[in-house]
């Protein structure tokens, strides 16, 4: 589990970068089956004027490019906030083995809180979900970001 904590530290640093750019502070890291970093990303929706530029989507795209395949079997996505429905769909399509998340999203989460897209038995792939890794740090970053905007 130590490799997940190191990757979560990286994801949190990326989330801080997103916040400095005015984007919701979410960072993501994709690890290969051996635990090596394949790709990193942070939210860029505001910077890119792209509602699909979530950290998870960008990291999954970069990881797929790095391995030369849209199938990321055996790989792990480490992300600071529970993925939304769009990102959960991409996780299933990419066949990621596991999602390690920081804070749960009680409004839009799709990995177990509001919905559970990634473990839906009706789909052709299911991912393991490990929640609450550096949960308080992830949640605090989000709370501080939104408090400053209110």
């Amino acid at each position: 589990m130590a490799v997940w904590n190191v990757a979560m530290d990286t994801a949190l640093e990326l989330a801080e970068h997103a916040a400095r750019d005015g984007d919701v502070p979410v960072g993501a890291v994709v690890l290969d089956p051996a635990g090596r970093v394949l790709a990193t990303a942070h939210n860029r929706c505001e910077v890119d004027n792209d509602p699909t530029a979530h950290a998870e989507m960008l990291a999954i795209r970069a990881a797929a490019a790095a391995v030369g395949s849209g199938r990321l079997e055996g790989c792990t996505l480490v992300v600071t906030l529970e993925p939304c429905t769009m990102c959960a769909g991409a996780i299933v399509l990419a066949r990621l083995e596991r999602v390690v998340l920081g804070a749960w999203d009680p409004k839009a989460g799709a990995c177990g809180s509001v919905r559970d897209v990634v473990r839906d038995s009706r789909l052709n792939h299911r991912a393991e979900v490990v929640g609450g890794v550096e949960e308080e740090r992830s949640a605090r970053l989000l709370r501080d970001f939104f408090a400053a905007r209110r």
Side-chain angles (χ1 to χ4, degrees), residues 2-4 9 19 32 39 45 49 53 55-56 68 80-81 85 91 98 100 103 105 113 118 128 134-135 149:
V3 70
W4 297 344
D9 286 340
D32 74 7
C45 297
N49 295 311
E56 302 96 317
T80 58
L81 178 65
T85 303
I91 289 163
R98 171 182 312 104
V100 176
D105 185 348
S113 62
V118 300
E128 174 188 0
E134 297 291 349
E135 182 172 11
R149 280 162 174 58

Side-chain angles (χ1 to χ4, degrees), residues 97-101 104 111-112 116 118-119 127-131:
E97 181 174 327
R98 171 182 312 104
V99 178
V100 176
L101 62 95
W104 294 96
C111 292
D116 201 352
V118 300
R119 294 181 290 196
E128 174 188 0
V129 176
V130 178

Side-chain angles (χ1 to χ4, degrees), residues 58-113:
L58 298 173
I60 289 168
R61 287 179 194 141
V67 300
S69 172
R71 294 187 182 215
L72 299 174
E73 294 167 337
C75 294
T76 298
L77 173 70
V78 179
V79 61
T80 58
L81 178 65
E82 180 184 6
C84 69
T85 303
M86 173 184 67
C87 295
I91 289 163
V92 171
L93 292 172
R95 291 172 170 71
L96 284 155
E97 181 174 327
R98 171 182 312 104
V99 178
V100 176
L101 62 95
W104 294 96
D105 185 348
K107 293 182 180 178
C111 292
S113 62

Side-chain angles (χ1 to χ4, degrees), residues 136-147:
E136 181 49 38
R137 283 177 63 198
S138 297
R140 184 174 50 249
L141 190 58
L142 288 157
R143 276 192 311 270
D144 292 349
F145 176 80
F146 287 111

Side-chain angles (χ1 to χ4, degrees), residues 21-24 42-59 61 84 86-87:
D21 287 347
D23 264 293
V24 176
H42 58 77
N43 272 5
R44 295 187 51 87
C45 297
E46 299 300 322
V47 170
D48 292 349
N49 295 311
D50 179 356
T52 69
H54 290 198
E56 302 96 317
M57 298 295 288
L58 298 173
R61 287 179 194 141
C84 69
M86 173 184 67
C87 295

